[in-house]
Amino acid sequence: MPSGKMLAALLASTCLLAPAAFAQETVTIQFWEGHSVQEEQATINMIAAFEAAHPDIKVERVKTSFGTNFERITTAIASNTAPDVSPIWSGFLTQFAEQGQLVDLTQYGVEPTNADIYPGAFDYVTWNDGVYGLPYAFDPRFIVYNQEAFEAAGLTEPPATFEELIEYTEQLTVGEGSNIEQYGFGLGGSDSLAYFFINLLYAYGGQVFNEDGTEAVFNNEAGLQAGEIISRLAGLPGATLNAGEGLRQSVLHGRVAMIYDGPWIFYEALNDPESEEFGIGRVPMPGEGDQPLNFGSVGAYVVYEQSDNKEAAAEFVKFLASPEAQQHRVAMLKPGVSPGVRDAPEAQAAFEEWPGLETAQNLLDESRIFPKHDNWPSVFQAIIPAVEAIIGGEDPQSALDAAVNQANRALRRG
């Protein structure tokens, strides 16, 4: 029989061994990620911070293609091979939530209202009283202007109203006819066209859908006002609309004096040693004194019902929306989805070096997102050709009427 001292030693050693013997098993969650190089590096840093704080959860990051994300997720759900977590953007979140494919995170401690995330971004992930993801990205739109071009034209501030936007476009244009050396205003193609139209539609007090979401109504008075602004811009020799690739380079090098864009401009400037100084301004409004408003696009991380590790996956998604994680996004020159990120050390360092980035961060207080609708992608695809037709010279009312008819046919098909 062991002595008292030996028994005490044995008990002590047993106690020391107990935690290891009953240590929680490590859980591995699969995370599909299809971000740009800029967003990807921020995500890698976030994962490292998460795993350091949660040593019992490992994240297997699987690189996917941004352009085929929706199709790949749809196929995975159908074959019961969905990951634990993936990003979702555009109207796909509401579509999957409506189909019952996403986990309602309220059962894992996410409150139905969340003061730690910008209202516009949090609104995106709510559906039928549930919370079906958490935002990782909230990108405002704003006017980017070349400071040297503004100084040469005697301008000190970006345009405050749509009338000023048109006036500035004319004033900033250098050259005439087919010999334009500097365009006054530029607008990108495809998605940018639709975002600009929706931004103007919202500014004029309009909506894309009627109150119960059964019909598209963006051909109403507000939509017509938005379309007429685009039509007037398209009629100016110094406006290059539906410009496509290279527009950010153009404003950074003075070939275009101002553009409608988002926070991608900062990373573009970082990687361009010959970039000229540029400024950031709010999206113009219909009239002086109107409430500032800009369109913001949102991306969210979601947990799939097929996941075998829902609790761990929910912890991961919650962390990625926190200021602690979002500061890594700001460090890579994108705004954070949480107002609290302003106080995070890496974010503060980025804001000090890039004051325009802090301006972009603050614009999220006044950002609205696209409509939440389970058939939004089809309606969005009807808006793009309508704006293209207006730029091409078609009467705005006719172009918008045709787009609304197309959108409502899609809504009736479901």
Side-chain angles (χ1 to χ4, degrees), residues 45-78:
N45 295 341
M46 290 179 183
I47 291 173
F50 173 79
E51 290 182 334
H54 301 78
D56 56 328
I57 304 175
K58 299 300 178 187
V59 180
E60 177 191 355
R61 186 175 69 93
V62 178
K63 186 68 176 175
T64 63
S65 168
F66 180 91
T68 61
N69 180 71
F70 175 69
E71 291 79 5
R72 184 170 181 182
I73 288 293
T74 302
T75 301
I77 288 174

Side-chain angles (χ1 to χ4, degrees), residues 119-290:
F122 192 73
D123 179 56
Y124 173 61
V125 298
T126 59
W127 182 254
N128 289 345
D129 300 323
V131 180
Y132 292 93
L134 284 174
Y136 70 86
F138 193 20
D139 295 319
R141 298 307 190 274
F142 41 74
I143 298 296
V144 182
Y145 60 94
N146 183 289
Q147 290 185 344
E148 185 174 326
F150 264 54
E151 290 170 6
L155 300 172
T156 58
E157 299 288 340
T161 66
F162 295 133
E163 285 298 328
E164 282 191 354
L165 176 65
I166 292 169
E167 293 170 7
Y168 279 30
T169 299
E170 294 180 296
Q171 192 170 343
L172 289 161
T173 300
V174 177
E176 57 184 40
S178 58
N179 297 312
I180 302 295
E181 298 175 21
Q182 176 181 280
Y183 288 93
F185 177 69
L187 181 63
S190 191
D191 288 1
S192 290
L193 299 179
Y195 295 158
F196 188 61
F197 171 78
I198 294 169
N199 206 144
L200 270 61
L201 174 74
Y202 284 169
Y204 279 111
Q207 302 292 336
V208 175
F209 296 99
N210 61 2
E211 286 190 10
D212 61 7
T214 56
E215 290 187 351
V217 295
F218 55 84
N219 62 337
N220 56 16
E221 181 61 29
L224 181 59
Q225 289 174 302
E228 287 176 343
I229 292 295
I230 294 172
S231 179
R232 290 174 63 189
L233 284 167
L236 301 177
T240 174
L241 310 183
N242 203 5
E245 296 293 327
L247 194 58
R248 292 182 191 120
Q249 281 281 319
S250 294
V251 76
L252 294 177
H253 290 265
R255 292 188 293 273
V256 179
M258 56 181 175
I259 65 174
Y260 174 81
D261 196 39
W264 305 274
I265 190 70
F266 301 108
Y267 195 69
E268 188 87 23
L270 175 69
N271 290 284
D272 183 354
E274 298 181 359
S275 169
E276 299 174 8
E277 294 294 323
F278 64 94
I280 303 299
R282 283 189 170 93
V283 174
M285 290 298 295
E288 291 281 359
D290 285 339

Side-chain angles (χ1 to χ4, degrees), residues 5-160:
K5 289 184 178 180
M6 290 178 62
L7 183 59
L10 285 170
L11 288 172
S13 63
T14 302
C15 291
L16 288 172
L17 290 171
F22 296 99
Q24 187 174 350
E25 183 179 351
T26 299
V27 173
T28 299
I29 56 175
Q30 189 178 75
F31 170 51
W32 286 5
E33 175 265 308
H35 297 315
S36 65
V37 173
Q38 176 186 13
E39 197 89 56
E40 179 183 17
Q41 186 56 57
T43 304
I44 290 171
N45 295 341
M46 290 179 183
I47 291 173
F50 173 79
E51 290 182 334
H54 301 78
D56 56 328
I57 304 175
K58 299 300 178 187
V59 180
E60 177 191 355
R61 186 175 69 93
V62 178
K63 186 68 176 175
T64 63
S65 168
F66 180 91
T68 61
N69 180 71
F70 175 69
E71 291 79 5
R72 184 170 181 182
I73 288 293
T74 302
T75 301
I77 288 174
S79 61
N80 200 36
T81 57
D84 297 290
V85 176
S86 88
I88 283 186
W89 43 85
S90 189
F92 300 131
L93 185 143
T94 49
Q95 182 173 333
F96 286 136
E98 179 73 13
Q99 295 170 358
Q101 302 294 348
L102 305 181
V103 171
D104 180 358
L105 296 178
T106 59
Q107 61 189 299
Y108 294 107
V110 176
E111 297 293 331
T113 57
N114 193 323
D116 295 330
I117 296 175
Y118 287 103
F122 192 73
D123 179 56
Y124 173 61
V125 298
T126 59
W127 182 254
N128 289 345
D129 300 323
V131 180
Y132 292 93
L134 284 174
Y136 70 86
F138 193 20
D139 295 319
R141 298 307 190 274
F142 41 74
I143 298 296
V144 182
Y145 60 94
N146 183 289
Q147 290 185 344
E148 185 174 326
F150 264 54
E151 290 170 6
L155 300 172
T156 58
E157 299 288 340

Side-chain angles (χ1 to χ4, degrees), residues 312-398:
E315 283 300 311
F316 179 54
V317 169
K318 287 191 290 184
F319 179 83
L320 293 178
S322 69
E324 181 184 355
Q326 285 286 307
Q327 67 176 326
H328 297 294
R329 191 170 191 267
V330 178
M332 292 304 296
L333 307 185
K334 295 290 286 292
V337 302
S338 168
V341 79
R342 295 185 182 105
D343 299 323
E346 288 197 26
Q348 289 181 339
F351 292 148
E352 185 174 345
E353 185 173 357
W354 297 83
L357 180 61
E358 187 169 18
T359 299
Q361 180 74 49
N362 294 335
L363 289 176
L364 291 175
D365 289 315
E366 56 201 46
S367 292
R368 283 184 57 187
I369 63 171
F370 40 68
K372 292 189 301 180
H373 195 287
D374 58 347
N375 209 3
W376 168 241
S378 298
V379 176
F380 183 76
Q381 290 304 316
I383 292 174
I384 294 172
V387 181
E388 290 175 334
I390 293 169
I391 291 171
E394 187 171 335
D395 172 65
Q397 189 72 71
S398 298

Side-chain angles (χ1 to χ4, degrees), residues 304-323:
Y304 292 92
E305 279 289 352
Q306 293 181 14
S307 171
D308 293 327
N309 303 297
K310 294 183 179 67
E311 185 174 2
E315 283 300 311
F316 179 54
V317 169
K318 287 191 290 184
F319 179 83
L320 293 178
S322 69

